[in-house]
Amino acid sequence: MLPPRTDLTRDLAEWLPRQRWFGAKDGDIGDVSVGAATELRAGDPALHHLVLDVRRNGVPDRYQLLLGVRRHLPDRLRHVEIGGTPEARLYDAAHDPELTRVLLDALAGGASIGPLRFHHLDGARIRTDLASLPITAEQTNTSLLFGDAYICKLFRRLGDGVNLDLEVNLALTRGGCAHVPAVRGWIELEPGPDGAGPVTLGLLSDYLYTGADGWSLAIASVRDWFAHPPPPGDEWAELDASAAGGDFAAEAERLGAATAQVHRALGDAFGVTVIPAEEVRAMAARMHAELTATCRSVPGLAPHARALTAVFLDLAAQASPLTVQRLHGDYHLGQVLRTESGWALLDFEGEPARTQSERRALAHPLRDVAGMLRSFEYAARFLITKAGTVPTESGPHLETRAHAWAARNRAAFCRGYAAAGGPDPAAHSVLMHAFEFEKAVYEVRYEARNRPAWLPVPLKSLAHLIT
């Protein structure tokens, strides 16, 4: 049984700001209320699904919480305790495998419990005998591993309507795309009285247990390259990153090919359209406006503003009708897995700092390509930002190494992408530069707000790209 609402919301107001996935750490919570509470399991332990309405500075947000209730809380769950009374201890039940198995049961049975709807893909058989383990590295969501079979992503902060990750992955699964984990089921909140569509709460997919994420593989390659003996004398100017044993270029090329194949599958699933030149010019104007605003808030970008502006103006001057479609939207090395059968793409939610309408906007496929090229720049310089992780070469020499690694893998990715039928980045240089610089401006703004120690990464890479 739940405690009185006033006691529960008081405990939640204290607990929420300490959670990594809570998006309002930079301001006081004005009000927390329970918008919906659904009992999923009675007894001890009990499981309740809560939809929380949180207001901060007058701005509303919704979050979901699996709330566990136990008379005696075991030590293994102390770290996720929320509060409660001596007779009813409250905690985040996403960390309790005894209770999360309820989700598998409901998904397998296609259950409807209160306003919650549990769906499984037609023909999909879901095992219900698996214990869960939360992935602790995630920030904006919480994912549960069920054995080595499934991964269930719980969307902590709830948007309106169908989540993009479900919408895109479901369409690609139904289309037979081999480069995404197959969707098994999903959880949603039924439409409210305002007539709005169902809200996505969770997504169950196959778990690619043999996969290694692209970021980790790339960082291992960079580390090997940094450890490679330095060239003699003045040979730094012609440094060749292929000399290192942990060369990543072949994988980058295969990743480019997989990306082109997923783009083609997205076009087949959602359609392709053409926007007129006027919309391309408007897009260029938005890019320039973001640059201007970011220069005001991050002075370190200002020295590059003239060169970036020239690229955006060039895009506007050469504007012509442009083919657009659905994309990944937040494409980088952390969103891909290398498995035994090839590369797989994950997390189609779009950039976290963008609005829902911006995330859903159609764009040219090279926008995703630009995102991955920027990720190679990040991987090349990540170790430089961490003291003690690289050899004690001078700063300029390390930057030369980073540039050589990034250039080699960027070229390999673009080569694989074009060979697999994607638009050749080399044949669309103006558009390609504009997308990449737009992404760099976004990165500068994001790092300045969230990870100031990383700010030199996008700024240093710009120095090479604008020459």
Side-chain angles (χ1 to χ4, degrees), residues 19-256:
Q19 309 314 303
R20 295 178 66 188
W21 43 261
F22 188 65
K25 298 183 183 69
D26 57 346
D28 294 332
I29 296 179
D31 180 61
V32 178
S33 60
V34 178
T38 306
E39 185 180 72
L40 297 179
R41 170 176 157 160
D44 185 11
L47 177 63
H48 300 263
H49 180 276
L50 304 185
V51 176
L52 306 177
D53 296 319
V54 181
R55 284 190 171 272
R56 180 179 63 93
N57 299 327
V59 178
D61 261 325
R62 285 190 300 173
Y63 290 84
Q64 72 163 320
L65 173 66
L66 292 176
L67 184 71
V69 185
R70 286 178 178 264
R71 186 174 183 85
H72 301 291
L73 195 64
D75 289 342
R76 63 184 174 83
L77 295 172
R78 292 286 182 189
H79 68 293
V80 290
E81 185 174 7
I82 296 172
T85 66
E87 296 77 24
R89 306 311 300 164
L90 308 178
Y91 62 100
D92 183 356
H95 297 258
D96 188 347
E98 184 176 351
L99 292 182
T100 54
R101 193 170 292 169
V102 171
L103 302 180
L104 286 185
D105 289 332
L107 285 164
S112 293
I113 306 174
L116 306 185
R117 302 290 178 263
F118 296 83
H119 303 274
H120 57 257
L121 197 67
D122 292 343
R125 304 184 72 175
I126 298 174
R127 292 177 56 186
T128 60
D129 61 338
L130 302 172
S132 68
L133 178 69
I135 297 177
T136 58
E138 285 198 83
Q139 294 186 12
T140 55
N141 301 304
T142 297
S143 287
L144 308 177
L145 297 183
F146 285 96
D148 60 3
Y150 312 124
I151 182 168
C152 181
K153 180 189 287 187
L154 298 174
F155 300 104
R156 292 288 196 166
R157 190 175 186 176
L158 302 179
D160 294 328
V162 178
N163 186 281
L164 272 172
D165 206 20
L166 169 61
E167 182 180 2
V168 174
N169 273 296
L170 191 56
L172 293 177
T173 296
R174 286 171 169 161
C177 181
H179 292 291
V180 296
V183 173
R184 293 285 178 165
W186 64 98
I187 310 168
E188 64 186 20
L189 187 69
E190 70 177 5
D194 57 0
V199 174
T200 306
L201 302 174
L203 169 62
L204 185 76
S205 305
D206 285 346
Y207 175 50
L208 305 179
Y209 65 93
T210 65
D213 72 274
W215 176 258
S216 298
L217 295 174
I219 293 301
S221 172
V222 174
R223 183 178 287 109
D224 184 78
W225 169 230
F226 281 178
H228 190 71
D234 60 355
E235 294 182 17
W236 284 95
E238 299 180 0
L239 201 60
D240 183 1
S242 66
D247 189 19
F248 189 71
E251 288 299 342
E253 187 168 349
R254 284 189 279 267
L255 178 58

Side-chain angles (χ1 to χ4, degrees), residues 269-281:
F270 295 100
V272 175
T273 190
V274 176
I275 60 173
E278 301 84 67
E279 289 193 32
V280 178
R281 284 190 284 271

Side-chain angles (χ1 to χ4, degrees), residues 326-391:
R326 295 290 285 272
L327 302 178
H328 182 282
D330 186 25
Y331 200 42
H332 55 77
L333 287 163
Q335 307 281 45
V336 294
L337 287 179
R338 182 62 167 93
T339 71
E340 293 175 339
S341 58
W343 284 100
L345 279 62
L346 314 172
D347 297 331
F348 288 81
E349 291 185 77
E351 292 171 331
R354 303 286 186 187
T355 65
Q356 283 292 325
S357 60
E358 288 173 326
R359 297 182 193 189
R360 287 185 177 277
L362 306 182
H364 192 277
L366 288 180
R367 191 170 188 273
D368 271 351
V369 173
M372 187 56 70
L373 297 188
R374 294 298 308 155
S375 192
F376 286 126
E377 299 287 345
Y378 262 65
R381 293 168 178 82
F382 170 73
L383 294 176
I384 300 177
T385 67
K386 300 183 68 175
T389 61
V390 295

